[in-house]
């Protein structure tokens, strides 16, 4: 469709061009001739064609030469590819197509275009070769009794890439069809030499069995080709051969089995013995089995743990690398049980290292005693002949044995035993203890004075165990909750039943575990363990740090000593810093306070205005310095005082009345206030000796200046002093009167106040 639109578009252009003035040279169409197709394969083909220019074409006229190809339209009207041709010779062009689809018909034509018109040759077609089933050959490379080795070669991929290859097989039967992927078992082929592939068939392969096998290959066109089938019979199983003998020495629970080994059939035997079962008449090594030695042709094995009066089937077996070979199946039936019963042992003549044990055996009809005696143990509640035992060699049913070389004061467990054809039978157990002198007994410890490095202890030996006390004292440890004499000792060398000692060289503030002990020939007896902790001194503990008052350059702090650490306090107070969160007394400012009733208070001085400080309380003893948690305080700020309403008046020849108001103290205490005056300029506290000091702080103040000179002009200022300096009022001026009141002074009719600018 796109190609058709293109042709229509070109025709319209030619039509429009023909309607314009004939200013372009005339175009003469060349003659395209579509050639034949060569080199056709499943995926490639080479197209050819010629384009002969018109003899009247202008010199140098250019044309585009290309091929049109489509697999959908025989008229090249839809899904058309336009591909430029390659010039092979004068007027001859070719195009090799690749990646074609097998078995597909393609339509093509050569075409020439000058840009104004296009001329096409005849439309021709070709068909690519179709894909086929791959061709495969098969060869047998080896076989054993349970495997078949094969190889294959893909001789023709069928025109497509091989995606899978391998072997398919099934059990052979007369008239059976060749195996396929649908009904056979497959084995994937592994790449071999020269393009071959190999495989080993193992799954469900049996000895001396025929199998039919084919190689196969599948290409990416989903076509599968098979080789000719071959039939292969696996080798004979080369397992050992042997014969099964008769059973002997039957008891109610066991039997002795016999067999003769015949041949290993060329492969070493790694195991042989007997397999048996009470259910299966053809037992295998998957049933219970018992092994035998590998030496000699005749071999035996004893089977035990069987059930009385039951029939068992058994076969001899031998195993080599080819598998298990079996002898013929035989059977045996076990007799009923011959049970012996024994009376409970009686113990007599017990000493420190011996005792006499007696018992009797009850025999059923036809039974006999093969062995009898006593077995004993200090740990096993029901001892057997697997442990310590003594045989009674006497005839008859009675048992009497004297045990010797026993351990003094040890508890023993004893059983009488008797052995019959059907096993070993035991009496119920009995127990006894040999005579022994006892351990000593020690009372609980009484704790005396405990200090930093010592502790006084006492205890008593309440019983000596009937023998001499060899050593007594206390054993103690920091780590062992139940100390023994293997730990540290404090030996009491005194005689008697009392135990007293003072432990010395202890560590301060440590918890110790201690037991009193007493040793005699039977061992060491201990008291119950007690624990104590030596006295410990430590740094003081300070809490409750709080600010009482915070000013601009000082603050009053208070804290509480909660623990002196067991020692006297040598110093307490407060330390502070404006940068460190943990000020200390060695690097930062501090103030020492007086401790009273566990509380101390002090004033921090020299603080900066509007500054935050970290403050900690501290206390010092012989162990060091203990600090409280820090608090943060922030100072305020103050300024000079403020003075208003300065006036001077009511002059006389020697006096003036003055008044002013200290309206604010500036946030700091007024330490002095009053008036300064001078007849020689502006007065100040520093430079003027004439001043009058007034009582009070903030508020009004007034005074009468005396001793003045008549008819003299005075400057007066009120002042107030705090720690930030001296503040002044405005300057008031006044003239005293003349000493001769008759003289008038028109230049100074009265007084006036000069305000600060």
């Amino acid at each position: 469709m796109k190609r058709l639109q293109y042709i229509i578009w070109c025709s319209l252009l030619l039509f429009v061009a023909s309607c314009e003035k004939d200013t372009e040279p005339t175009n003469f169409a060349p003659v395209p001739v579509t050639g034949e197709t060569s080199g056709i394969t499943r995926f490639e083909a080479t197209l050819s064609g010629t384009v002969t220019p018109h003899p009247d074409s202008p010199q140098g006229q250019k044309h585009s030469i290309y091929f049109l190809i489509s697999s959908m339209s025989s008229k090249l009207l839809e899904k058309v590819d336009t591909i430029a041709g390659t010039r092979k010779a004068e007027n001859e062009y070719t195009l090799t197509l690749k990646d074609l689809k097998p078995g597909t018909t393609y339509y093509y034509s050569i075409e020439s275009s000058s840009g104004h018109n296009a001329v096409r040759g005849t439309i021709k077609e070709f068909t690519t070769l179709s894909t086929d089933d791959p061709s495969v050959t098969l060869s047998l490379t080896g076989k054993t009794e349970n495997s078949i080795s094969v190889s294959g070669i893909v001789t023709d991929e069928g025109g497509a890439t091989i995606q899978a290859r391998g072997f398919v097989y099934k059990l052979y039967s007369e008239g059976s069809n060749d195996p396929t992927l649908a009904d056979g078992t497959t084995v994937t082929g592994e790449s071999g030499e020269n393009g071959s592939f190999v495989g080993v068939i193992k799954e469900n392969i049996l000895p001396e069995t025929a199998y039919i096998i084919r190689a196969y290959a599948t290409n990416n066109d989903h076509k599968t080709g098979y080789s000719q089938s071959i039939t292969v019979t696996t080798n004979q199983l080369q397992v050992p051969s042997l014969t099964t003998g008769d059973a002997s020495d039957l008891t109610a629970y066991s039997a002795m089995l016999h067999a003769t080994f015949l041949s290993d059939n060329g492969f070493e035997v790694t195991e042989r013995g007997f397999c048996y079962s009470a259910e299966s008449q053809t037992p295998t090594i998957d049933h219970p089995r018992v092994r035998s030695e590998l030496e000699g042709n005749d071999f035996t094995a004893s089977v035990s743990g069987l059930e009385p009066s039951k029939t068992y089937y058994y076969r001899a077996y031998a195993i080599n690398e080819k598998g298990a070979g079996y002898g013929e199946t035989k059977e045996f039936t076990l007799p009923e049980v011959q049970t012996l019963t024994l009376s409970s042992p009686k113990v007599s003549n017990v000493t420190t290292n011996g005792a006499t044990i007696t018992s009797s055996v009850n025999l059923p009809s036809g039974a006999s005693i093969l062995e009898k005696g006593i077995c004993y143990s200090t740990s096993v509640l029901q001892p057997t002949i697997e442990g310590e035992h003594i045989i009674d060699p006497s005839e008859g049913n009675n048992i009497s044995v004297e045990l010797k070389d026993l351990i003094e004061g040890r508890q023993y467990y004893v059983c009488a035993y008797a052995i019959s054809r059907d096993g070993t039978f035991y009496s119920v157990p009995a127990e006894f203890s040999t005579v022994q002198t006892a351990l000593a007994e020690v009372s609980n410890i009484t704790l005396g004075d405990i200090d930093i490095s010592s502790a006084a202890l006492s205890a008593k030996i309440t019983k000596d165990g009937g023998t001499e006390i060899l050593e007594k004292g206390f054993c103690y440890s920091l780590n062992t909750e139940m100390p023994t004499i293997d730990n540290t000792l404090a030996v009491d060398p005194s005689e008697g039943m009392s135990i007293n000692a003072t432990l010395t060289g202890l560590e301060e503030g440590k918890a110790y575990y201690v037991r009193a002990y007493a040793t005699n020939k039977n061992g060491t007896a201990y008291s119950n363990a007690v624990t104590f902790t030596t006295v410990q001194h430590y740094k003081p503990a300070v809490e409750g740090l709080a600010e009482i008052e915070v000013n601009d350059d000082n603050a009053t702090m208070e804290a509480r000593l909660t623990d002196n650490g067991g020692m006297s306090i040598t110093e307490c107070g407060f330390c502070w810093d404006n940068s460190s969160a943990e000020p200390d007394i060695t690097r930062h400012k501090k103030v020492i306070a007086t401790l009273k009733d566990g509380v101390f208070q002090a004033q921090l001085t020299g603080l900066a205005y509007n500054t935050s400080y970290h403050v900690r309380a501290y206390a010092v003893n012989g162990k060091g310095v203990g600090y409280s948690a820090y608090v943060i305080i922030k100072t305020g700020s103050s300024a000079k005082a403020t003075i208003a309403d300065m006036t001077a008046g009511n002059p006389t020849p020697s006096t003036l009345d003055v008044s002013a108001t200290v309206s604010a103290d500036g946030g700091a205490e007024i330490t002095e206030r009053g008036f300064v005056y001078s007849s020689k300029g502006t007065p100040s506290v520093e430079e003027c000796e004439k001043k009058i000091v007034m009582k009070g702080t903030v508020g009004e103040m007034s005074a009468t200046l005396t001793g003045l000179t008549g008819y003299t002009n005075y400057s007066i200022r009120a002042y107030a002093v705090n720690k930030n300096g001296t503040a002044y009022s405005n300057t008031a001026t006044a003239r005293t009167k003349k000493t001769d009141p008759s003289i008038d002074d028109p230049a100074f009719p009265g007084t006036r106040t000069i305000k600060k600018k």
Side-chain angles (χ1 to χ4, degrees):
M1 179 60 79
K2 290 183 179 179
R3 181 60 186 166
L4 179 61
Q5 292 173 348
Y6 173 74
I7 294 173
I8 295 173
W9 180 78
C10 290
S11 300
L12 288 173
L13 287 177
L14 290 173
F15 175 75
V16 171
S18 65
C19 294
E20 296 178 354
K21 291 182 179 181
D22 189 16
T23 59
E24 298 291 334
T26 302
N27 290 317
F28 296 96
V31 178
V33 177
T34 304
E36 299 303 322
T37 306
S38 61
I40 299 174
T41 67
R42 295 182 178 92
F43 306 104
E44 296 184 1
T46 300
L47 310 182
S48 65
T50 61
V51 177
T52 305
H54 194 281
D56 296 328
S57 293
Q59 188 73 23
Q61 183 174 356
K62 294 183 179 180
H63 290 81
S64 297
I65 310 299
Y66 46 86
F67 289 88
L68 305 176
I69 306 97
S70 173
S71 63
M72 298 294 295
S73 173
S74 60
K75 296 184 178 181
L76 302 179
L77 296 178
E78 56 182 330
K79 292 189 176 181
V80 178
D81 292 325
T82 302
I83 305 175
T86 299
R87 185 171 182 178
K88 182 178 180 182
E90 185 177 1
N91 300 333
E92 293 183 10
Y93 298 88
T94 63
L95 172 63
T96 299
L97 300 175
K98 298 181 180 296
D99 299 324
L100 302 179
K101 294 182 179 180
T104 303
T105 299
Y106 289 87
Y107 305 94
Y108 69 97
S109 174
I110 192 169
E111 187 171 283
S112 173
S113 173
S114 64
H116 295 282
N117 53 31
V119 183
R120 180 189 303 174
T122 57
I123 297 174
K124 293 188 177 184
E125 65 181 68
F126 68 90
T127 301
T128 55
L129 301 179
S130 298
T131 56
D132 296 321
D133 293 339
S135 296
V136 191
T137 62
L138 172 65
S139 299
L140 174 67
T141 59
K143 64 176 181 174
T144 66
E145 65 273 11
N146 53 15
S147 68
I148 302 171
S149 299
V150 288
S151 67
I153 299 176
V154 179
T155 58
D156 186 354
E157 295 182 343
T161 302
I162 297 299
Q163 289 186 325
R165 57 186 178 177
F167 307 92
V168 59
Y169 66 96
K170 65 181 180 180
L171 192 66
Y172 173 79
S173 61
E174 190 68 30
S176 61
N177 296 325
D178 290 338
T180 66
L181 294 177
D183 64 358
T185 302
T186 59
V187 173
T188 301
E190 296 183 3
S191 296
E193 297 180 354
N194 301 322
S196 65
F197 57 97
V198 296
V200 178
I201 299 172
K202 294 182 178 180
E203 185 178 352
N204 298 324
I205 298 300
L206 301 176
E208 301 180 75
T209 305
Y211 296 89
I212 185 168
I213 308 168
R214 289 204 292 175
Y216 74 89
T218 302
N219 60 27
N220 60 5
D221 201 31
H222 307 291
K223 293 187 176 182
T224 300
Y226 295 93
S227 70
Q228 293 291 324
S229 63
I230 62 173
T231 301
V232 180
T233 300
T234 52
N235 296 341
Q236 180 181 1
L237 189 61
Q238 294 174 284
V239 297
S241 58
L242 61 168
T243 60
T244 305
D246 295 329
S248 66
D249 301 329
L250 299 181
T251 72
Y253 303 102
S254 64
M256 182 66 72
L257 306 182
H258 302 262
T260 300
F261 179 74
L262 300 178
S263 174
D264 61 9
N265 288 323
F267 296 92
E268 181 183 2
V269 171
T270 58
E271 179 184 325
R272 68 182 183 179
F274 301 88
C275 50
Y276 58 95
S277 173
E279 291 79 24
S280 174
Q281 295 187 13
T282 54
T284 68
I285 57 175
D286 293 327
H287 292 94
R289 71 182 195 245
V290 59
R291 297 184 182 184
S292 181
E293 297 295 332
L294 296 177
E295 291 79 12
N297 291 332
D298 294 328
F299 61 94
T300 62
S302 177
V303 181
S304 58
L306 306 179
E307 296 184 34
S309 305
K310 200 165 190 176
T311 298
Y312 286 86
Y313 304 94
Y314 68 99
R315 289 199 293 175
Y317 75 88
I319 300 174
N320 63 14
E321 66 180 71
K322 296 301 181 179
Y326 297 94
E328 64 271 29
T329 301
K330 292 195 173 185
E331 64 180 78
F332 61 84
T333 301
L334 297 179
E336 294 182 356
V337 179
Q338 291 183 353
T339 303
L340 306 181
T341 57
L342 294 90
S343 65
S344 177
K346 293 181 180 181
V347 183
S348 61
N349 302 326
V350 179
T351 66
T352 57
N353 59 358
T356 300
I357 314 298
T358 60
S359 179
S360 62
V361 184
N362 182 25
L363 284 175
S365 177
S368 61
I369 299 174
L370 303 179
E371 182 180 305
K372 62 182 180 179
I374 298 295
C375 45
Y376 60 98
S377 173
T378 59
S379 58
V380 179
L381 299 181
Q382 292 185 319
T384 68
I385 59 174
E386 301 299 324
E388 295 290 336
H389 66 283
I390 297 179
I391 299 173
D392 179 359
S394 67
E395 299 290 335
N397 296 354
N398 294 324
I399 301 173
S400 180
V401 169
E402 183 179 351
L403 302 181
K404 298 180 180 181
D405 299 325
L406 303 182
I407 301 173
E408 177 183 348
R410 184 65 64 88
Q411 186 176 39
Y412 283 87
Y413 305 94
V414 292
C415 280
Y417 76 91
I419 301 175
S420 74
R421 180 199 68 186
D422 292 330
T424 302
F425 300 88
Y426 296 92
S427 69
V428 296
E431 61 182 77
F432 69 95
S433 295
T434 54
V435 177
Q436 181 186 30
T437 54
L439 291 171
E441 295 183 9
V442 184
S443 70
N444 290 335
I445 296 173
T446 299
L447 296 174
D449 293 336
I450 298 174
D451 206 339
I452 295 175
S453 60
S454 64
L457 308 173
S458 63
K460 289 185 178 181
I461 301 172
T462 57
K463 292 182 181 180
D464 61 9
T467 186
E468 178 188 4
I469 298 298
L470 303 176
E471 184 177 293
K472 62 181 179 177
F474 299 92
C475 49
Y476 58 99
S477 172
L478 278 171
N479 305 311
T480 304
E481 294 184 2
M482 300 294 286
T484 69
I485 57 175
D486 292 329
N487 298 108
T488 307
L489 299 181
V491 178
D492 180 1
S494 68
E495 297 181 358
M497 304 293 278
S498 296
I499 309 174
N500 297 285
T502 297
L503 311 185
T504 59
L506 306 181
E507 295 184 40
E508 178 183 351
K510 295 288 187 177
Y512 284 86
Y513 302 96
V514 61
R515 290 201 293 176
Y517 74 91
T519 303
N520 61 19
K521 74 180 185 68
N522 298 309
T524 301
Y526 297 93
S527 69
N528 291 336
V530 298
T531 182
F532 66 88
T533 302
T534 53
V535 174
Q536 181 178 21
H537 293 160
Y538 42 86
K539 294 179 182 179
V542 183
E543 297 179 358
L545 175 62
E547 57 188 58
I548 302 302
E549 181 181 8
V550 179
N551 298 311
D552 51 6
D553 62 355
N554 66 84
T556 301
M557 307 298 293
E558 183 180 83
R560 182 175 70 258
L561 177 70
T562 58
D563 194 337
N564 64 5
M567 303 180 72
S568 298
I569 299 299
T570 59
E571 181 180 311
C572 63
F574 305 90
C575 54
W576 67 91
D577 190 70
N578 63 354
S579 60
S580 173
E582 294 185 345
D584 62 70
I585 62 175
T586 61
R587 298 180 300 140
H588 304 105
K589 293 182 179 180
K590 72 173 184 176
V591 60
I592 299 174
T594 300
L595 179 65
K596 184 178 181 180
D597 298 329
V599 178
F600 54 97
Q601 188 180 102
Q603 186 180 62
L604 285 56
T605 60
L607 307 183
Y609 290 0
N610 290 322
T611 303
S612 294
Y613 290 90
H614 289 79
V615 183
R616 290 202 296 176
Y618 73 91
V620 183
N621 65 10
K623 280 291 184 177
V625 183
Y627 292 93
S628 69
Y630 71 82
V631 298
I632 299 175
I633 63 172
K634 185 173 183 180
T635 57
S637 61
S638 61
K640 294 180 179 180
T642 303
I643 305 175
D645 302 328
M646 176 65 209
T647 61
N650 196 22
T652 71
S654 61
T655 65
L656 280 172
D657 291 337
V658 293
S659 66
T661 300
V662 179
S663 57
D665 61 7
E669 179 185 2
I670 300 294
T671 57
E672 182 181 317
R673 70 175 185 170
F675 299 93
V676 290
Y677 54 97
S678 175
S679 61
K680 297 180 181 181
T682 301
S684 68
V685 173
E686 293 81 7
E687 298 178 359
C688 183
E689 296 180 355
K690 295 182 178 182
K691 71 175 180 178
I692 183 168
V693 179
M694 306 296 296
K695 294 182 178 180
T697 55
V698 178
E700 295 181 357
M701 61 180 179
S702 60
T704 298
L705 307 182
T706 61
L708 305 181
T709 303
Y711 201 64
T712 300
N713 194 28
Y714 284 91
S715 296
I716 308 102
R717 288 199 296 177
Y719 75 92
V721 180
N722 64 15
K723 65 182 179 182
N724 298 305
T726 303
Y728 294 95
S729 70
N730 56 302
T731 302
T733 61
R735 176 178 290 178
T736 56
K737 289 187 177 183
K738 294 181 178 181
T739 54
D740 185 356
S742 63
I743 301 175
D744 191 17
D745 185 6
F748 258 89
T751 64
R752 64 194 180 106
T753 299
I754 302 174
K755 294 184 177 180
K756 288 183 179 181
K757 294 184 179 181

